[in-house]
Amino acid sequence: MAANKHAVAPMEVSVEAGNAGAAEWLDDDGRPRRTGTFWTASSHIITAVIGSGVLSLAWAIAQLGWVAGPTAMLLFAFVTYYTATLLAECYRTGDPETGKRNYTYMDAVRSNLGGAKVVFCGVIQYANLVGVAIGYTIASSISMKAIRRADCFHKNGHGDPCNSSSTPYMILFGLVQILFSQIPDFDQIWWLSIVAAVMSFTYSGIGLSLGIVQTISNGGFKGSLTGISIGVDVTATQKIWHSLQAFGDIAFAYSFSNILIEIQDTIRAPPPSESKVMQKATRLSVATTTIFYMLCGCMGYAAFGDNAPDNLLTGFGFYEPFWLLDVANVAIVVHLVGAYQVFCQPIFAFVERRAAAAWPDSAFISKELRVGPFALSLFRLTWRSAFVCVTTVVAMLLPFFGNVVGFLGAVSFWPLTVYFPVEMYIKQRRVPRGSTKWICLQMLSVGCLLVSIAAAVGSIANVIDALKVYRPFSG
């Protein structure tokens, strides 16, 4: 700890700031003092977790039924919370209060595991974050399109197809993201996360309320113990694929481990340790989201039974009150604007750190103009805008919300949520190989691997089916 403090160059600080006391505003690693709290960390997590995935849970429960659906949701919640507490302890290597900080998920893997596992982690993490950006672009365009359709149905009746393209809405969302992506890092987007978290509760609450009203008007709960029935619309094979994809949808709904370390790096220095604050924030966030998920998913299934749409507020299980649907979908779009930034900041930071290290004297990379929360540089403007454009174009090519969500959840769940947290915890805490705890942790990892593989297979099969009848840029 003392060595770390000595490494800070107070002379440089005093020359730049004109006051040696400015060193007091630095953390033990020489970086500006972090200001995050339990509440800001919770808002970041809720922004990341209560995303558009909540809207597909009614469909997921419809595939699994009243027994397996809620059970699967609770199991995913428990696994996500437990492994997140393991991961939170890996933010510092060694002592939980004075050990070396790991600024990113990859840094934690590098410090604890090293070797080829760092490369594997990087590929999976950043591919998943790119996939989330694509998925959120799709989801936002569907919600914007749904606002227009809801107004059209109200005006012209439910018989009117009210068709329109989602492409202009994706372009609009991309333009907004180009603007917000000029905010340099997590510390500057805390307000965006809080707004997004409020929006997530807004549209989840509206979806829940509409589900309750629809269930009451139906005179009782729809659905069955085993889920959607095999019949005219669903073959036995499709039932299997859909059931497997449902696990991927639920996994996606709980996805936030891939940015947990980055969120933890915003938390104010100890005491208490960052890991304790993060574990408390995770406990509150996962408990809150699970209650919402159970209510929204179960009430959506109760309201529509086998006909539950893959997006509760845009699949037009509900038509009225149209203005309330508009409010909910506006809330979704606002939320996704913030969630997109929360998930993309690690990618932005990774590329910019590498560029700064490779070309430290380049004005193109280092020269900035500060305007409020924005930090404008030619490199940031060019590269982040290019990233947003690429994710937007890919989203135009693959506008399958449910299938994309299921695949992303399936592919990322095991490695990022389970495998790496378990392996790093075992290494950091020196859990003896062959001990009861080691065996239990490995059984958890293997079990989740099998679930991820099965869910990925189901999602891929459904994507292939969807591609058979889809024409690019027509959605």
Side-chain angles (χ1 to χ4, degrees):
M1 179 69 170
N4 285 342
K5 282 186 174 178
H6 185 68
V8 177
M11 181 62 72
E12 292 179 13
V13 173
S14 64
V15 168
E16 181 179 67
N19 185 351
E24 296 177 3
W25 298 100
L26 300 177
D27 269 332
D28 55 2
D29 58 349
R31 295 194 175 189
R33 190 171 297 281
R34 294 154 178 85
T35 58
T37 65
F38 163 74
W39 294 109
T40 60
S42 298
S43 69
H44 282 316
I45 296 172
I46 290 173
T47 298
V49 178
I50 302 186
S52 54
V54 67
L55 303 173
S56 66
L57 292 178
W59 181 89
I61 292 181
Q63 312 313 306
L64 300 172
W66 280 117
V67 176
T71 301
M73 206 176 297
L74 290 173
L75 286 174
F76 273 98
F78 172 75
V79 170
T80 301
Y81 166 69
Y82 178 68
T83 56
T85 62
L86 302 183
L87 182 57
E89 295 196 24
C90 300
Y91 171 65
R92 287 184 183 266
T93 301
D95 189 277
E97 292 192 6
T98 61
K100 173 185 169 293
R101 294 175 186 266
N102 297 305
Y103 303 117
T104 67
Y105 196 118
M106 272 185 70
D107 286 344
V109 174
R110 185 178 292 107
S111 295
N112 289 283
L113 302 177
K117 291 180 179 179
V118 179
V119 178
F120 174 56
C121 170
V123 170
I124 292 294
Q125 183 190 12
Y126 292 116
N128 174 254
L129 293 174
V130 172
V132 169
I134 294 167
Y136 281 180
T137 303
I138 295 171
S140 66
S141 71
I142 290 173
S143 289
M144 286 187 272
K145 184 177 175 180
I147 294 171
R148 183 184 180 280
R149 292 188 72 201
D151 295 346
C152 176
F153 287 138
H154 178 73
K155 181 178 179 181
N156 302 329
H158 302 169
D160 191 323
C162 295
N163 291 328
S164 64
S165 173
S166 59
T167 298
Y169 302 114
M170 292 188 188
I171 294 173
L172 177 61
F173 184 78
L175 291 173
V176 172
Q177 292 304 338
I178 288 174
L179 172 64
F180 280 110
S181 65
Q182 302 313 307
I183 299 175
D185 52 45
F186 265 123
D187 275 342
Q188 276 72 49
I189 64 169
W190 61 268
W191 58 272
L192 191 58
S193 280
I194 291 175
V195 170
V198 171
M199 292 298 102
S200 67
F201 283 118
T202 299
Y203 68 73
S204 298
I206 291 173
L208 171 61
S209 301
L210 291 174
I212 293 172
V213 170
Q214 183 67 42
T215 302
I216 293 172
S217 68
N218 292 341
F221 283 25
K222 290 188 175 183
S224 64
L225 294 179
T226 56
I228 193 168
S229 304
I230 299 172
V232 178
D233 297 326
V234 179
T235 65
T237 302
Q238 288 175 323
K239 165 76 172 177
I240 294 173
W241 297 143
H242 289 175
S243 297
L244 293 178
Q245 182 188 320
F247 287 112
D249 283 9
I250 297 171
F252 179 83
Y254 280 105
S255 174
F256 80 97
S257 295
N258 49 350
I259 58 170
L260 184 144
I261 296 293
E262 285 82 351
I263 293 174
Q264 193 166 343
D265 190 46
T266 68
I267 295 174
R268 183 183 300 141
S273 67
E274 296 92 349
S275 64
K276 290 187 182 300
V277 175
M278 196 65 186
Q279 287 168 356
K280 284 176 60 182
T282 300
R283 183 161 57 246
L284 173 68
S285 303
V286 172
T288 302
T289 53
T290 299
I291 292 170
F292 257 83
Y293 283 179
M294 291 293 286
L295 290 172
C296 290
C298 291
M299 291 313 302
Y301 183 41
F304 299 107
D306 290 355
N307 296 319
D310 73 342
N311 189 317
L312 192 60
L313 292 173
T314 64
F316 285 91
F318 303 108
Y319 289 92
E320 299 290 343
F322 80 100
W323 60 268
L324 192 58
L325 289 175
D326 288 352
V327 170
N329 281 300
V330 168
I332 292 172
V333 174
V334 173
H335 171 264
L336 291 175
V337 168
Y340 185 103
Q341 287 300 314
V342 168
F343 276 98
C344 289
Q345 285 295 334
I347 303 176
F348 296 157
F350 173 76
V351 171
E352 286 156 22
R353 278 198 307 273
R354 288 299 182 95
W359 301 284
D361 300 322
S362 171
F364 177 74
I365 293 173
S366 60
K367 191 173 181 179
E368 289 185 347
L369 173 64
R370 287 273 176 175
V371 182
F374 301 98
L376 306 177
S377 74
L378 287 175
F379 176 67
R380 182 176 291 118
L381 180 62
T382 303
W383 124 253
R384 293 192 181 191
S385 299
F387 174 87
V388 173
C389 289
V390 169
T391 58
T392 302
V393 171
V394 175
M396 292 176 189
L397 292 169
L398 292 171
F400 313 122
F401 175 73
N403 297 335
V404 169
V405 161
F407 180 73
L408 289 174
V411 170
S412 64
F413 176 70
W414 175 71
L416 297 177
T417 302
V418 182
Y419 174 73
F420 283 117
V422 165
E423 292 299 310
M424 287 191 289
Y425 179 82
I426 288 174
K427 183 73 177 291
Q428 180 131 320
R429 288 304 183 91
R430 296 183 173 86
V431 178
R433 187 181 183 87
S435 65
T436 301
K437 188 168 188 177
W438 185 89
I439 292 173
C440 289
L441 288 170
Q442 295 299 336
M443 287 176 63
L444 172 66
S445 183
V446 172
C448 290
L449 171 62
L450 296 176
V451 171
S452 282
I453 292 173
V457 169
S459 296
I460 291 171
N462 288 324
V463 169
I464 292 173
D465 281 345
L467 286 173
K468 289 177 182 177
V469 296
Y470 174 68
R471 290 177 298 157
F473 300 106
S474 63

